[in-house]
Amino acid sequence: MRLLVLDYLLKQSAAVSLSDLETYFHRADRITLYRSLKTFEEKGLVHSIDDGSGAVKYALCPDGCSPQEHHDLHVHFFCTRCRETFCLPKSRIPDIALPEGFSAGEVNLVMKGTCNTCRG
Amino acid sequence: MRLLVLDYLLKQSAAVSLSDLETYFHRADRITLYRSLKTFEEKGLVHSIDDGSGAVKYALCPDGCSPQEHHDLHVHFFCTRCRETFCLPKSRIPDIALPEGFSAGEVNLVMKGTCNTCRG
DNA sequence: GAATGCCCTGCAACTGCATTGCACTTTAGC
DNA sequence: GCTAAAGTGCAATGCAGTTGCAGGGCATTC
């Protein structure tokens, strides 16, 4: 079952939410898919994205992601029309100047707009 | 009641969540506070921040925010220790190069780490 | 001064998503 | 084949956001 989920993730160009999986694998249980994603995330195979749509989405990690540390310092793009979330690994997050005393760890950058297939 | 909420927001240095308000105004009802924030957001007084903590937080808009358009293109900082969210209006979000066909509207940048009062 | 209408408030309930506990099945190791 | 571990499925819970409806205060109007 998890192999099927992994295979599905490999074929996706956009990040998928739990309900997406649930719709696609209507045979399988919600919780099974949920735990599959959680396991993948623990093992460093996928990373979770909170794009503000209310549902957490998951996408495969490009490379170099270990279970301890995720290197998903790329930009995520949320299309407000098709409500898909894309990873833009080409666009790296530039350095941001922080005030005195602030030290940054993780950075989450989500851009919202229209994607190339939804542009009118 | 809404005046009290607004006064409370004025005194805050960090963004507040609905449960924060609920804790502070333990006399008032959850829904009243919720609708107050929603009304403020509609009128362009506050903007909502999704810092990934699971709860949406609200902070006063600096200026120039109209009901139609929010100009909160500043960085938000979420401290993983005290779980507070700060607005960093000094740090503007730099331009990000998007792939062909993508057009961006809203941008949400949340940095996570330790703030100046929580640094050890 | 009573009636009407509007806005605010509060109670109840619902929704959606994430999460956990428990029992059952499947798989792997010996 | 037996046992232990991992995976799966059902039920239930929790939390945050959201909406419907009823009551109350206030102003305007007649």
Side-chain angles (χ1 to χ4, degrees), chain B residues 16-111:
Chain B
V16 297
S17 66
L18 181 55
S19 54
D20 290 335
L21 278 180
E22 191 181 353
T23 305
Y24 185 77
F25 295 105
H26 52 278
R27 306 282 305 265
D29 195 61
R30 222 171 71 95
I31 292 88
T32 300
L33 302 172
Y34 166 72
R35 276 191 274 233
S36 298
L37 290 175
K38 279 294 178 188
T39 306
F40 289 162
E41 191 183 8
E42 286 178 6
K43 303 300 181 185
L45 294 177
V46 304
H47 64 271
S48 58
I49 313 160
D50 185 2
D51 57 4
S53 66
V56 179
K57 295 184 179 176
Y58 299 88
L60 288 173
C61 283
D63 60 343
C65 276
S66 65
Q68 291 84 22
E69 194 176 12
H70 281 277
H71 303 284
D72 54 344
L73 282 179
H74 55 268
V75 179
H76 291 127
F77 188 90
F78 175 73
C79 178
T80 52
R81 292 196 187 180
C82 60
R83 300 186 68 79
E84 299 267 6
T85 299
F86 306 94
C87 292
L88 304 179
K90 302 283 179 57
S91 305
R92 298 199 69 83
I93 296 178
D95 289 336
I96 307 281
L98 283 177
E100 185 68 24
F102 285 73
S103 66
E106 192 180 343
V107 179
N108 185 23
L109 204 164
V110 177
M111 307 189 75

Side-chain angles (χ1 to χ4, degrees), chain A:
Chain A
M1 291 295 143
R2 299 194 177 181
L3 292 176
L4 292 176
V5 175
L6 193 60
D7 195 60
Y8 177 74
L9 287 175
L10 281 169
K11 288 183 291 189
Q12 296 303 312
S13 61
V16 297
S17 66
L18 181 56
S19 55
D20 290 336
L21 278 180
E22 188 184 0
T23 305
Y24 186 76
F25 295 105
H26 52 278
R27 307 282 304 266
D29 195 63
R30 230 177 92 86
I31 291 89
T32 300
L33 302 172
Y34 165 72
R35 277 191 274 232
S36 299
L37 290 175
K38 280 295 176 185
T39 307
F40 290 162
E41 190 182 10
E42 285 179 6
K43 304 298 182 187
L45 294 176
V46 303
H47 65 271
S48 58
I49 312 159
D50 185 4
D51 56 4
S53 67
V56 179
K57 295 184 178 176
Y58 299 87
L60 288 173
C61 283
D63 59 343
C65 275
S66 66
Q68 293 82 23
E69 194 175 12
H70 281 277
H71 303 282
D72 55 341
L73 281 180
H74 54 268
V75 179
H76 292 128
F77 189 90
F78 175 73
C79 178
T80 53
R81 291 196 187 178
C82 58
R83 299 187 69 81
E84 299 268 6
T85 298
F86 306 93
C87 292
L88 304 179
K90 302 283 180 56
S91 304
R92 298 200 67 82
I93 298 178
D95 290 335
I96 308 281
L98 283 177
E100 185 68 23
F102 285 73
S103 66
E106 192 180 342
V107 178
N108 185 23
L109 204 165
V110 177
M111 306 189 75
K112 300 184 181 180
T114 52
C115 69
N116 52 359
T117 58
C118 286
R119 61 174 171 177

